[in-house]
Amino acid sequence: MKSFDVLQSELAEGKTTCENITREYLGRIEEKRHLNALLSVFPEKALEQARAVDKKYHEGNAGALAGMVVTIKDLICMKEERVTCGSKILENFISLYDATVVQRLRSADAVIIGKNNMDEFAMGSSTENSAYGRVKLPQDEDRVPGGSSGGSAVAVCTGMSTTSLGSDTGGSIRQPAAFCGVVGLKPTYGRVSRYGLVAYASSFDSIGPLALTAKDAASVLQVIAGHDANDSTSAKVSVPDYHAQMNKEVKGLRVGIPKEYFGEALDSEIRQSVEKKIDLLRSNGAVLEEVSLPHTEYTIATYYILATAEASSNLARYDGARYGFRSAATSDLSDMYSKSRSEGFGAEVKRRIMLGTYVLSAGYYDAYYRKGQKVRRLIKEDFDHAFQSVDCLLTPTSPSTSFKAGDKMDDPLQMYLSDIYTTSVNLAGIPGISIPCGTDHQGLPIGMQILGPHFGESTILKVADFFETAS
Ligand code: GLN
């Protein structure tokens, strides 16, 4: 697979054109159709856009992403295209407008080629919860690619697109990146506009890139980051030059190893692979330090209380009246609501709506939702405290490598536990990147996370890039 910097130099040397590049990706999409990574493909539009970029390129005024072909997780709106969120309830729903990230990619001359399969409404860790069938792991098709951005990770790993935009509410960019052996960056909460992102849990959701390299992730982030008047939660914080931090030394960098992330839940091969990377940092002059994030044991419970509460409220809008699917045989208004929702949503989404409604209901609100908010604060303070003495943290991304399809579908708690190292990052609102870290004895990719303080994307991208060039 070719990374964006390779494609860029081939373009510059006149060896190829955007149109050719786009045709190559379309060919691979066709070849790998059985992996089920895409829910829509728009070849004509993509080729037309590619030809327009070629013209600009020859005139010398092409944008920063000329030569990049992108797929978009199917919960990000693109005008006149379907936005299904992997759900039957939005099966025929066509978006009326472009998300800000889509507009920004287009203005930078990236070619958008299709939309990725995903867990329904981004709820899941395996991309088995899609109403359009599961996505297969390319390395072993009986296994899962992680989730919920499984379609995005598979598209990047198999060359269906150069990069993809995913969303991360509790790990959905980083964990599939880890399972598929690619890079996945979850930016700081507020770093990237979410105008046009269908909401799952609004105080957690972030949009970010999946890519083959840290440099490619940096190229995408550079274009999509920054304040947007259409999203009041997007931060008015200036966007640094992320590439300025590439190809740098790590000498003197203070790196924290949170001891709670190396406990019993962790697979021993993953532990060894991450430890090797720690040694590599040390031998290159970084200063390693063990740190403690004492509230780590509460992260899964806190996340699944707060995220489901927000989801139950966000998903109330799918009532059969305003969006998408409406049940055919209904007798009155409330019957229409209840049948449309019962038939339109899948099992996991219904489970979460029930959980979330429960934790918000009178009599339980204080015990669950309010308590959850307080613990969230403590988890955030753990990170604030750690970042007083270190520049970044290093952890595994997931306690295991990819598991077999079907293995965790009957046991939601086991599925939720796959998010043990990723959800804390969303609770705290900090940025995190997952990068490849070798393979296990079955040849399955292992992922490692680098976490930074709020708006510390430059630092984590720099460390990610160091590992790519050093190893
Ligand atoms: N696996 C987590 C969940 O199911 C995270 C999902 C996400 O980040 N969208 O909630």
Side-chain angles (χ1 to χ4, degrees):
M1 279 342 112
K2 286 177 186 165
S3 58
F4 179 50
D5 37 329
V6 173
L7 292 169
Q8 268 181 317
S9 37
E10 291 186 3
L11 262 186
E13 290 160 21
K15 285 188 185 154
T16 188
T17 61
C18 286
E19 186 177 347
N20 273 339
I21 295 173
T22 307
R23 283 189 196 282
E24 279 173 22
Y25 283 107
L26 285 168
R28 282 190 295 262
I29 288 175
E30 201 48 50
E31 233 171 78
K32 319 259 178 194
R33 194 172 279 275
H34 65 286
L35 297 174
N36 204 20
L38 295 177
L39 295 177
S40 328
V41 186
F42 5 95
E44 285 79 28
K45 267 195 199 169
L47 287 169
E48 192 183 312
Q49 204 196 337
R51 284 189 284 268
V53 178
D54 279 331
K55 188 162 174 283
K56 282 173 83 176
Y57 199 85
H58 288 119
E59 290 163 1
N61 57 3
L65 300 184
M68 183 184 284
V69 175
V70 186
T71 49
I72 309 274
K73 186 176 181 181
D74 206 17
L75 79 176
I76 296 174
C77 292
M78 275 184 76
K79 195 174 174 176
E80 288 164 13
E81 296 296 344
R82 294 198 314 156
V83 51
T84 68
C85 297
S87 182
K88 183 176 168 190
I89 215 160
L90 287 177
E91 186 163 12
N92 295 312
F93 186 74
I94 307 287
S95 177
L96 298 171
Y97 65 98
D98 274 339
T100 298
V101 287
V102 167
Q103 275 173 21
R104 290 189 180 175
L105 285 180
R106 267 215 205 94
S107 0
D109 287 330
V111 169
I112 304 176
I113 200 172
K115 302 195 75 186
N116 303 102
N117 202 352
M118 55 181 282
D119 279 304
E120 186 175 5
F121 284 104
M123 298 176 186
S125 314
S126 65
T127 320
E128 291 169 285
N129 292 331
S130 167
Y132 305 98
R134 74 174 181 97
V135 178
K136 296 175 177 170
L137 182 78
Q139 291 87 342
D140 175 350
E141 294 178 14
D142 293 334
R143 292 179 184 269
V144 303
S148 62
S149 311
S152 296
V154 170
V156 171
C157 142
T158 57
M160 297 184 204
S161 60
T162 331
T163 61
S164 176
L165 287 187
S167 68
D168 193 311
T169 304
S172 278
I173 290 177
R174 291 160 287 150
Q175 186 252 18
F179 279 18
C180 294
V182 300
V183 172
L185 171 66
K186 175 233 171 283
T188 307
Y189 183 79
R191 176 77 294 184
V192 174
S193 165
R194 299 176 302 170
Y195 178 69
L197 169 74
V198 177
Y200 159 13
S202 311
S203 77
F204 297 82
D205 300 338
S206 311
I207 297 177
L210 291 99
L212 291 172
T213 65
K215 289 192 176 79
D216 287 4
S219 301
V220 175
L221 183 65
Q222 197 74 53
V223 165
I224 63 173
H227 179 250
D228 172 18
N230 283 329
D231 175 2
S232 58
T233 64
S234 72
K236 285 189 177 149
V237 175
S238 64
V239 179
D241 177 355
Y242 296 115
H243 279 276
Q245 292 302 319
M246 298 290 137
N247 306 317
K248 290 275 197 252
E249 288 185 9
V250 291
K251 198 162 180 224
L253 189 82
R254 297 164 309 163
V255 182
I257 309 298
K259 62 174 187 215
E260 292 82 1
Y261 284 59
F262 291 80
E264 281 183 1
L266 182 61
D267 173 271
S268 62
E269 284 185 274
I270 299 183
R271 177 195 307 273
Q272 283 163 17
S273 300
V274 175
E275 281 170 356
K276 264 193 212 150
K277 298 287 181 184
I278 295 175
D279 290 342
L280 187 63
L281 278 179
R282 196 179 283 117
S283 60
N284 277 275
V287 184
L288 276 295
E289 185 186 315
E290 184 178 276
V291 298
S292 175
L293 301 169
H295 296 92
T296 298
E297 64 176 301
Y298 305 112
T299 51
I300 290 283
T302 308
Y303 170 78
Y304 276 96
I305 287 171
L306 298 178
T308 57
E310 293 185 22
S312 77
S313 153
N314 273 325
L315 271 57
R317 72 191 66 176
Y318 306 103
D319 54 8
R322 285 174 294 177
Y323 303 98
F325 175 79
R326 178 183 298 182
S327 175
T330 61
S331 51
D332 58 26
L333 186 64
S334 82
D335 191 44
M336 191 274 280
Y337 286 156
S338 96
K339 284 199 178 128
S340 299
R341 287 169 69 81
S342 303
E343 293 164 26
F345 287 134
E348 182 60 26
V349 172
K350 284 189 238 181
R351 179 180 295 123
R352 300 213 186 178
I353 292 173
M354 285 188 271
L355 268 173
T357 307
Y358 177 78
V359 301
L360 287 174
S361 58
Y364 297 102
Y365 184 95
D366 285 338
Y368 294 109
Y369 185 74
R370 194 189 301 280
K371 180 70 113 330
Q373 292 287 33
K374 289 182 178 167
V375 180
R376 179 179 195 171
R377 177 59 172 263
L378 295 173
I379 292 168
K380 180 188 168 288
E381 285 173 356
D382 281 354
F383 281 103
D384 291 345
H385 185 248
F387 287 125
Q388 282 171 7
S389 57
V390 297
D391 302 310
C392 65
L393 298 167
L394 211 72
T395 83
T397 306
S398 167
S400 76
T401 51
S402 167
F403 44 88
K404 287 254 199 258
D407 261 13
K408 301 194 181 190
M409 284 303 271
D410 298 330
D411 190 346
L413 191 58
Q414 280 308 315
M415 190 70 94
Y416 299 169
L417 285 170
S418 4
D419 306 330
I420 192 161
Y421 304 136
T422 48
T423 47
S424 52
V425 173
N426 305 70
L427 285 160
I430 59 174
I433 189 167
S434 178
I435 61 169
C437 179
T439 50
D440 69 6
H441 68 282
Q442 303 182 89
L444 298 170
I446 293 173
M448 176 174 81
Q449 265 191 133
I450 307 155
L451 312 178
H454 290 97
F455 300 99
E457 284 84 359
S458 287
T459 307
I460 63 175
L461 281 163
K462 163 181 154 167
V463 179
D465 179 63
F466 163 79
F467 281 120
E468 279 167 23
T469 39
S471 46

